Amino acid sequence: MKIGVYSPNWIGDAVLALPFIEYLKSQNPNAKICMLCKEWVTDVYQNHPAIDELISIEKKYMESFLGSIKTGYLLRSKKFDLFYTLTDSFRSALILRISGSLKRIGYKSQMRSILLTNSIKLPKKMIHRSEKYIKMINENIFFSQNPKLYVSDDEKEWGLKEIKKMQLKQPVALFPFSVANARTIPNIVLKKWIQNSNKNYIVFGSKDDNLKGEELVSLFNNLSIKSICGKYSLRQSIILISLCNYAIAADSGLGHIAVALGVPTISFFGIGIP
C-alpha cells in the first residue's frame, strides 16, 4: 500500500505532524509513506525512519490555482491508495482529488467535502494540534508521543565544526523572534534575562530577522553572543540547534524544533498579552 500525506505549511505545525507519521506507520508497517510538503518545511522530515519518500513542491507551484492542478497531475504517477491532508485548505483537497488517490481523508472545511472520500467533522472542543492530526486516523485514540527529529552522524560532525569556527562552547540557542510581532520576545526583556550570564549564546532566525538579530547582539558588551539569522538553511539550523546546551524560545517553529530534537527548552507563549 502507498500512503500520501499532505504536510502542514508552517514549520511548527510540520513538527507537530511527526507523531501522526509515527502512528500512521505503526498502523501500516508495510506501507510506503510519502510526504508531500512545501519546500520550506521539507527539512523537518529529512532522515525520518517512518517516511519513505519526500516530495518537495516548489513555491511557484503552490501559489496559484493552475499550479495546484499541475501538482495534482504530477502526483498521479505515485498511484496513492490513501492520501491524508493535514491542512484544512481547499487547495490541498483539490490536489488530493486530482492525484487520483483511491481514498482521500481530511477535515470538513472550506466547502471541500466533495473532493474528499472521507470528510471528517472538526473536533468540537479545542485540542492540541498533534492530537487533531492523529484523530483523522482514529478519532477514539489518544496517542501521546513527543515529536522527534533525526540528525545523522555526518550532520552532527558538520555541526560541531561550525560551532568550533564560531569559537563557542556548549552554546545556548536563542529563538526570540516570531512571524507574529506579538509573539516576539522584546530585546529589552531578553537583555534583562541574560545580561549577566557567563554562557555562550547563538541567536537563530530567518533572513528577515537578520537586522533584529544584529540589533540584539549590539545591546551586549561583555556577553558571548552571536547572531546567525539567515546565514544557514533550515536543515543546517536544525543540526546546530541539536548541539546546543539548551534553548530559550518565543512561540515559534524553532522552539518546536528544539523540543523535537530533545534539547531542553523554555518556551514563552502569550508574549503579546500584558
Side-chain angles (χ1 to χ4, degrees), residues 37-49:
C37 45
K38 293 185 178 179
E39 56 187 345
W40 56 84
V41 298
T42 304
D43 289 343
V44 170
Y45 303 110
Q46 196 170 319
N47 295 341
H48 199 291

Side-chain angles (χ1 to χ4, degrees), residues 17-234:
L18 295 173
F20 171 90
I21 299 300
E22 296 272 2
Y23 184 69
L24 182 63
K25 189 67 172 181
S26 72
Q27 299 302 297
N28 304 275
N30 297 319
K32 182 177 181 181
I33 296 178
C34 302
M35 204 77 195
L36 175 70
C37 45
K38 293 185 178 179
E39 56 187 345
W40 56 84
V41 298
T42 304
D43 289 343
V44 170
Y45 303 110
Q46 196 170 319
N47 295 341
H48 199 291
I51 298 173
D52 298 284
E53 183 180 0
L54 269 174
I55 306 169
S56 181
I57 304 298
E58 294 179 38
K59 188 177 181 180
K60 64 181 180 180
Y61 284 105
M62 305 297 277
E63 291 187 329
S64 67
F65 182 73
L66 182 60
S68 298
I69 293 174
K70 286 182 178 179
T71 300
Y73 276 108
L74 286 171
L75 292 172
R76 287 197 165 189
S77 63
K78 300 298 179 182
K79 297 182 179 178
F80 292 123
D81 299 291
L82 183 61
F83 210 154
Y84 288 92
T85 172
L86 301 187
T87 83
D88 295 335
S89 69
F90 182 87
R91 182 194 303 272
S92 67
L94 178 64
I95 289 172
L96 265 62
R97 177 65 181 85
I98 297 172
S99 75
S101 175
L102 299 178
K103 289 186 177 181
R104 303 175 298 278
I105 302 174
Y107 282 112
K108 288 183 179 179
S109 65
Q110 298 191 21
M111 298 182 292
R112 65 182 192 164
S113 295
I114 193 172
L115 301 172
L116 302 170
T117 58
N118 295 60
S119 187
I120 304 166
K121 289 184 179 180
L122 285 162
K124 292 181 179 180
K125 295 181 179 179
M126 185 176 288
I127 58 175
H128 196 272
R129 191 174 295 273
S130 62
E131 188 181 352
K132 175 190 172 187
Y133 295 150
I134 288 169
K135 285 189 178 296
M136 275 197 287
I137 304 172
N138 185 340
E139 64 179 350
N140 298 315
I141 196 73
F142 178 75
F143 182 72
S144 180
Q145 181 169 314
N146 287 334
K148 187 175 181 182
L149 286 165
Y150 293 84
V151 176
S152 69
D153 291 339
D154 287 343
E155 288 177 321
K156 287 180 182 177
E157 186 177 344
W158 172 86
L160 288 168
K161 289 178 181 177
E162 289 299 304
I163 288 176
K164 188 175 181 180
K165 288 179 188 176
M166 296 181 208
Q167 298 181 323
L168 299 175
K169 188 177 181 181
Q170 293 186 318
V172 175
L174 295 180
F175 318 129
F177 312 122
S178 171
V179 291
N181 287 331
R183 297 179 184 177
T184 295
I185 303 174
N187 283 353
I188 191 65
V189 173
L190 197 56
K191 182 181 179 182
K192 288 179 181 179
W193 291 350
I194 67 173
Q195 62 184 345
N196 296 318
S197 172
N198 60 0
K199 304 289 185 183
N200 298 300
Y201 294 91
I202 302 178
V203 183
F204 289 82
S206 67
K207 289 181 181 178
D208 294 337
D209 299 321
N210 185 37
L211 286 177
K212 291 185 285 186
E214 294 301 329
E215 287 174 6
L216 176 60
V217 170
S218 69
L219 295 177
F220 301 97
N221 296 319
N222 301 313
L223 188 71
S224 176
I225 183 169
K226 182 177 180 63
S227 172
I228 59 170
C229 294
K231 295 179 181 178
Y232 292 94
S233 68
L234 176 60

